[in-house]
Amino acid sequence: MNSMVFDNVRLLDPSAGLDQPGSLLVQDGVIAGIGKPGGEGVPEGAQVLDGRGAVLCPGLVDMRVEIGEPGFEYRETIASAARAASAGGITTLAALPTCKPAIDNPALVRMMRVRGEETGAVTILPYGALTKGCEGKELAEIGMLHEAGAVAFTDGNRAVDPARLMRLALSYASGFGAMVIQHPEEPSLAGSGCATSGAMATRLGLAGIPTAAEAIMIARDIRLAELTGGRLHFAHVSTAEGIELIRQAKARGLRVTCDTAPPYFDLNENAIGDFRTYAKFSPPLRSEDDRLAVCAALADGTIDAIASDHLPRDADDKRLPFAQAATGGTGMVTLLGVTLARVHDATLDLSRAIGLLTHRPAALLGAAAGTLAQGAAADLCLFAPEQSWLVRAGELPGRAQNTPFDRRPLEGRVLGTWKAGRRVYEAGNA
Amino acid sequence: MASALLRHNRHLLGLEGMTPDQIEPLLDLAESYALLNRSRKVPRDVLRGRTLINLFFEDSTRTRTSFELAGKRLGADVINMSVAQSSVNKGETLLDTAATLNAMRTDLLVVRHSQSGAPALLARKVEACVVNAGDGMHEHPTQALLDALTIRRHLGTLGGLSVAICGDVAHSRVARSNIHLLTTMGSNVRLVGPPTLVPGALGRLGAEIFHSMEEGLRGVDVVMMLRLQRERMSSGLVPSAREYFRFFGLDRRRLELARPNALVMHPGPMNRGVEIESSVADSTQSVIQEQVEMGVAVRMAVLDRLTRGRHSA
């Protein structure tokens, strides 16, 4: 039997309310139990790793990642995405279906799962296309995709637009107990806008997208979820107004959930000053008031999960006039560090922050992940919450380097990542 | 209910509101016509001198032929009028048509129309007895009566049964008439299909809703399949025919979840490989051909009953 002990660690498992110094025993890739620090009851021949007081938590579960493969391998491959995930402490990720071809048939769903297994480093949970080709016209074969292992249904960063289509999607998916994920932006209001309407967009002369575009879509879809009884999730919410609508819907007992991503609680629209295309996102970065509303919603539980919203882009996709540049940023490597910035400034406590990165997204996806429970796969992340490092675009693990956090000092560093007990990442010396 | 009774005595517009006392004798009469049909000893004078007009605003070969045969077997003069939908200017023309038919002194008017309520509108304006041969998504009473007769012949009763109606219930007049009839007779009706075709609101008709065939078919006495119209796919209610068959098609495996020897029914025309597997449609449990046979008998009974006691016009 292959045994390993993580000794002298701070065990943190928000799913079980666990936060205590101790040790963790792993046998044959499975968590065998937790113990006191000092290696009491360590099996003979077990490999012992001294954590030196670092935090050991479940491997992170990232519920929104676009991988370039298949179709955009020049941006990122599954292998390079797995390297980025491991460096970020991520052991499970949900992949958007917006590749080429779109994940709209059962064979592709199975392929994505298998390709994840082949990396040995990360479990890929594929999202199924909500509509054929993610083109927003006809429903995809949601039942067959669900059966093949698609964890939820979305058209990625294309909002499901006609209200009738969204109604059908929520209704049809509900028959299979499947969740629909919406990109909350009313497309006709967003138009060709590329920045949030406001002082910054006005000064730069960029076409604006009003924050109402998010609120209107969220209000509409909450109403449709109510009408159909469907399971609805909003991705990367970013405005005070939109979040308030979700807060109210939850208070009414509706099964509506949402996530957000680090750019929306760490950056505001000032980041696009000087036409910085690396800070161009969809939805666009918002005002400081909206950023603070996102922080508050993370703290009060309105937001159910933090996802990296990792979107690999090539330099050529970004070195364009702002309006023409591609949206999105890489985010897996910096996911934990930027989230911990909200712990260091006391917005969140550590346990809540890690919960938003582990068991809470796992629960949304119905994934057996994000826990240190005995018998669970030993998917683990060891990190030093106070250790600082500097984000450097060009030197991040993985192929895609389009981070909005270039030159940002972060406190909180992943020291090691284990997938089913096998080490898949080890931090170099800082 | 007095007005409803009168309505049912003069016209057959729907089954909603009909009582077991009205349904059972009609089925008894149909049963006797079924036997006479088989022995080819139908009295040809029941409707002698009566005029029956098949007024079909919507294409239908099966139902129209069935009514035509029923009328002719009983000795009526049958005339088929197919009105091209495109040339009809809805309401006003429908009433003009009614006036024309009145002038012709028609006794029986069999009406099919794509709009729910069109036969009821005609019934208010014509002297003839109106038989609804299917109106929009509303009712198709003779189909439900023939289904009931077929079930009763096999299972001996219409009470206390569990009947699963599967598929596009939302748009089905066949389903609505069957729900009314079967619940009136004391049977339990389950509606099975994706939420886009079996929305929860249908539960208000007194039926149970299921979105899984495996759950919906468990232990039922009768499995009634509905036709999936191609337009349900083009309008986005169902992603594809193969997905529909995969989850909502009736195959051997699913049929085995029902009671042993459960009846398999279909109002036709079937889409083999979409809502029903060929081997199931052709199996010994299938009574689909018998439904067609009972259709003629039921329509004979309806025509007979409506004209009985009425003087020839």
Side-chain angles (χ1 to χ4, degrees), chain B residues 46-54 67 71-72 74-81 101 104-110 127-131 303 307 310-313:
Chain B
V46 176
L47 295 183
R48 182 181 294 153
R50 306 268 190 182
T51 309
L52 183 160
I53 295 186
N54 269 328
F67 270 108
K72 284 182 172 167
L74 294 174
D77 297 319
V78 180
I79 291 148
N80 290 319
M81 282 178 67
L101 294 168
M104 291 177 182
R105 307 277 174 214
T106 312
D107 299 287
L108 286 153
L109 199 53
V110 176
E127 296 297 320
C129 304
V130 174
V131 180
L303 299 178
T307 49
R310 271 171 67 84
H311 297 291
S312 189

Side-chain angles (χ1 to χ4, degrees), chain A residues 104-106 132 138-145 147 164 167-168 171-172 174-176, chain B residues 194-197 211-212 233-244 246-248:
Chain A
D104 66 357
N105 86 53
K132 286 169 190 155
E138 296 168 72
L139 288 187
E141 292 169 324
I142 287 171
M144 296 175 85
L145 296 171
E147 196 174 47
R164 178 179 180 272
R167 177 193 182 173
L168 289 180
S171 172
Y172 191 75
S174 75
F176 299 97
Chain B
T196 44
L197 302 181
H211 299 309
S212 145
M233 278 172 274
S234 59
S235 64
L237 296 168
V238 171
S240 68
R242 71 167 183 171
E243 168 142 325
Y244 188 80
R246 169 67 193 81
F247 293 100
F248 301 103

Side-chain angles (χ1 to χ4, degrees), chain B residues 2-241:
Chain B
S3 64
L5 287 174
L6 277 175
R7 195 175 63 141
H8 291 306
N9 280 338
R10 185 170 155 212
H11 306 294
L12 181 66
L13 300 175
L15 297 182
E16 185 178 9
M18 272 183 94
T19 61
D21 291 349
Q22 295 170 307
I23 293 168
E24 288 281 10
L26 198 52
L27 295 179
D28 293 341
L29 184 60
E31 173 77 42
S32 65
Y33 275 122
L35 297 174
L36 289 171
N37 276 337
R38 283 191 180 178
S39 61
R40 301 186 183 278
K41 287 180 183 159
V42 181
R44 314 225 14 138
D45 58 351
V46 176
L47 295 183
R48 182 181 294 153
R50 306 268 190 182
T51 309
L52 183 160
I53 295 186
N54 269 328
L55 184 61
F56 277 57
F57 292 89
E58 207 181 60
D59 285 338
S60 158
T61 307
R62 305 163 63 96
T63 306
R64 200 208 61 215
T65 308
S66 184
F67 270 108
E68 184 174 354
L69 210 50
K72 284 182 172 167
R73 281 201 183 149
L74 294 174
D77 297 319
V78 180
I79 291 148
N80 290 319
M81 282 178 67
S82 287
V83 186
Q85 193 64 29
S86 55
S87 69
V88 174
N89 192 0
K90 303 278 155 56
E92 193 186 10
T93 307
L94 191 62
L95 294 182
D96 285 347
T97 308
T100 307
L101 294 168
N102 260 345
M104 291 177 182
R105 307 277 174 214
T106 312
D107 299 287
L108 286 153
L109 199 53
V110 176
V111 183
R112 167 163 293 189
H113 202 285
S114 62
Q115 296 292 323
S116 302
L121 179 61
L122 266 180
R124 273 196 275 276
K125 300 289 175 187
V126 295
E127 296 297 320
C129 304
V130 174
V131 180
N132 179 4
D135 62 327
M137 305 187 297
H138 175 227
E139 285 225 42
H140 191 353
T142 55
Q143 177 70 42
L145 288 167
L146 73 89
D147 289 340
L149 180 58
T150 308
I151 294 171
R152 203 179 70 168
R153 286 167 64 94
H154 283 268
L155 304 180
T157 176
L158 290 171
L161 300 175
S162 186
V163 180
I165 303 178
C166 310
D168 186 7
V169 180
H171 304 91
S172 175
R173 51 198 175 208
V174 174
R176 277 178 185 71
S177 287
N178 267 303
I179 294 167
H180 293 314
L181 187 152
L182 291 165
T183 54
T184 298
M185 299 308 291
S187 282
N188 173 40
V189 177
R190 301 175 174 195
L191 306 176
V192 191
T196 44
L197 302 181
V198 184
L202 286 168
R204 285 181 210 139
L205 297 178
E208 274 184 278
I209 307 284
F210 292 85
H211 299 309
S212 145
M213 286 287 272
E214 283 72 14
E215 287 165 31
L217 294 194
R218 191 152 290 140
V220 298
D221 302 288
V222 179
V223 182
M224 208 178 265
M225 300 306 297
L226 299 174
R227 175 179 169 78
L228 182 74
Q229 309 276 2
R230 291 206 178 282
E231 67 202 66
R232 302 302 165 234
M233 278 172 274
S234 59
S235 64
L237 296 168
V238 171
S240 68

Side-chain angles (χ1 to χ4, degrees), chain A residues 282-347:
Chain A
S282 175
L285 291 175
R286 308 296 191 180
S287 69
E288 178 63 7
D289 285 346
D290 284 320
R291 187 190 74 83
L292 291 171
V294 171
C295 291
L298 285 168
D300 73 14
T302 301
I303 294 176
D304 299 90
I306 296 173
S308 71
D309 208 3
H310 180 86
L311 202 55
R313 298 297 191 191
D314 186 66
D316 293 336
D317 300 325
K318 287 289 190 182
R319 286 182 192 145
L320 290 165
F322 194 89
Q324 292 166 6
T327 59
T330 62
M332 290 196 283
V333 179
T334 51
L335 174 62
L336 180 65
V338 180
T339 301
L340 290 176
R342 295 291 79 78
V343 174
H344 296 310
D345 72 5
T347 301

Side-chain angles (χ1 to χ4, degrees), chain A residues 70-90:
Chain A
F72 303 95
E73 286 84 352
Y74 71 97
R75 290 173 178 163
E76 191 165 63
T77 62
I78 288 171
S80 80
R83 284 199 299 281
S86 296
I90 296 160

